[in-house]
């Protein structure tokens, strides 16, 4: 279920980043009614959802059962 949540966060954040920036560029009609709110979504909130989802996917991938664990302080080749 957490994998699904991570994918939803990535899709939601990524799609909304693209759409909000397209709206700011005026490519989706007359432009946003509230430009300041759209800038907040395009440049702050939606990228944060995207980053959150990507980091969650990375953490889930690294913590899968059966993955070899490296000793603390060692580096993998």
């Amino acid at each position: 279920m957490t994998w699904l949540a991570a994918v939803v966060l990535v899709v939601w954040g990524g799609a909304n980043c693209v759409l909000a920036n397209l709206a700011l560029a005026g490519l989706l009609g007359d432009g946003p009614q509230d430009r300041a709110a759209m800038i907040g979504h395009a440049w702050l909130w939606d990228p944060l959802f995207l980053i959150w989802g990507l980091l969650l996917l990375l953490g889930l991938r690294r913590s899968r059962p059966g993955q070899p664990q490296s000793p603390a302080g060692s580096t993998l080749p």
Side-chain angles (χ1 to χ4, degrees):
M1 185 59 126
T2 309
W3 284 93
L4 176 63
V7 170
V8 168
L9 284 169
V10 169
V11 171
W12 179 269
N16 284 329
C17 280
V18 171
L19 291 173
N21 280 295
L22 288 174
L24 285 171
L27 299 174
L28 298 179
D30 293 336
Q33 297 294 321
D34 187 352
R35 188 167 175 79
M38 190 60 67
I39 289 171
H41 275 279
W43 300 343
L44 176 66
W45 296 111
D46 296 327
L48 285 174
F49 278 105
L50 176 61
I51 291 167
W52 179 19
L54 291 172
L55 289 174
L56 183 55
L57 282 174
L58 178 66
L60 288 169
R61 184 175 177 270
R62 291 182 58 140
S63 66
R64 283 188 305 191
Q67 293 293 319
Q69 300 292 323
S70 62
S74 71
T75 58
L76 296 174

mmCIF file of all heavy atoms in Angstrom, residues 23 26-33:
data_model
loop_
_atom_site.group_PDB
_atom_site.id
_atom_site.type_symbol
_atom_site.label_atom_id
_atom_site.label_comp_id
_atom_site.label_asym_id
_atom_site.label_seq_id
_atom_site.Cartn_x
_atom_site.Cartn_y
_atom_site.Cartn_z
ATOM 1 N N ALA A 23 0.124 26.864 -16.845
ATOM 2 C CA ALA A 23 -0.856 27.916 -16.566
ATOM 3 C C ALA A 23 -0.158 29.257 -16.356
ATOM 4 O O ALA A 23 -0.622 30.292 -16.853
ATOM 5 C CB ALA A 23 -1.687 27.548 -15.340
ATOM 6 N N GLY A 26 0.723 30.881 -19.476
ATOM 7 C CA GLY A 26 -0.410 31.288 -20.294
ATOM 8 C C GLY A 26 -0.786 30.297 -21.370
ATOM 9 O O GLY A 26 -1.523 30.633 -22.293
ATOM 10 N N LEU A 27 -0.302 29.087 -21.280
ATOM 11 C CA LEU A 27 -0.570 28.071 -22.293
ATOM 12 C C LEU A 27 -1.867 27.305 -22.051
ATOM 13 O O LEU A 27 -2.238 26.470 -22.862
ATOM 14 C CB LEU A 27 0.612 27.108 -22.384
ATOM 15 C CG LEU A 27 1.941 27.751 -22.795
ATOM 16 C CD1 LEU A 27 3.061 26.736 -22.714
ATOM 17 C CD2 LEU A 27 1.845 28.344 -24.176
ATOM 18 N N LEU A 28 -2.540 27.583 -20.944
ATOM 19 C CA LEU A 28 -3.797 26.893 -20.629
ATOM 20 C C LEU A 28 -4.953 27.886 -20.544
ATOM 21 O O LEU A 28 -5.812 27.787 -19.675
ATOM 22 C CB LEU A 28 -3.671 26.131 -19.303
ATOM 23 C CG LEU A 28 -2.637 25.021 -19.257
ATOM 24 C CD1 LEU A 28 -2.599 24.382 -17.878
ATOM 25 C CD2 LEU A 28 -2.925 23.966 -20.315
ATOM 26 N N GLY A 29 -4.965 28.846 -21.408
ATOM 27 C CA GLY A 29 -6.056 29.820 -21.395
ATOM 28 C C GLY A 29 -5.552 31.205 -21.043
ATOM 29 O O GLY A 29 -4.453 31.607 -21.413
ATOM 30 N N ASP A 30 -6.372 31.928 -20.281
ATOM 31 C CA ASP A 30 -6.067 33.318 -19.943
ATOM 32 C C ASP A 30 -5.051 33.460 -18.824
ATOM 33 O O ASP A 30 -4.692 34.570 -18.467
ATOM 34 C CB ASP A 30 -7.355 34.049 -19.532
ATOM 35 C CG ASP A 30 -8.312 34.191 -20.698
ATOM 36 O OD1 ASP A 30 -7.835 34.162 -21.845
ATOM 37 O OD2 ASP A 30 -9.507 34.324 -20.441
ATOM 38 N N GLY A 31 -4.610 32.397 -18.255
ATOM 39 C CA GLY A 31 -3.678 32.464 -17.132
ATOM 40 C C GLY A 31 -4.424 32.309 -15.817
ATOM 41 O O GLY A 31 -5.645 32.340 -15.770
ATOM 42 N N PRO A 32 -3.687 32.150 -14.740
ATOM 43 C CA PRO A 32 -4.317 31.896 -13.448
ATOM 44 C C PRO A 32 -5.031 33.138 -12.903
ATOM 45 O O PRO A 32 -4.610 34.266 -13.140
ATOM 46 C CB PRO A 32 -3.151 31.497 -12.550
ATOM 47 C CG PRO A 32 -1.943 32.088 -13.190
ATOM 48 C CD PRO A 32 -2.233 32.129 -14.665
ATOM 49 N N GLN A 33 -6.128 32.899 -12.177
ATOM 50 C CA GLN A 33 -6.851 33.993 -11.526
ATOM 51 C C GLN A 33 -6.019 34.574 -10.389
ATOM 52 O O GLN A 33 -6.003 35.769 -10.186
ATOM 53 C CB GLN A 33 -8.194 33.486 -10.998
ATOM 54 C CG GLN A 33 -9.138 32.997 -12.066
ATOM 55 C CD GLN A 33 -9.589 34.132 -12.981
ATOM 56 O OE1 GLN A 33 -9.834 35.230 -12.518
ATOM 57 N NE2 GLN A 33 -9.672 33.853 -14.261
#
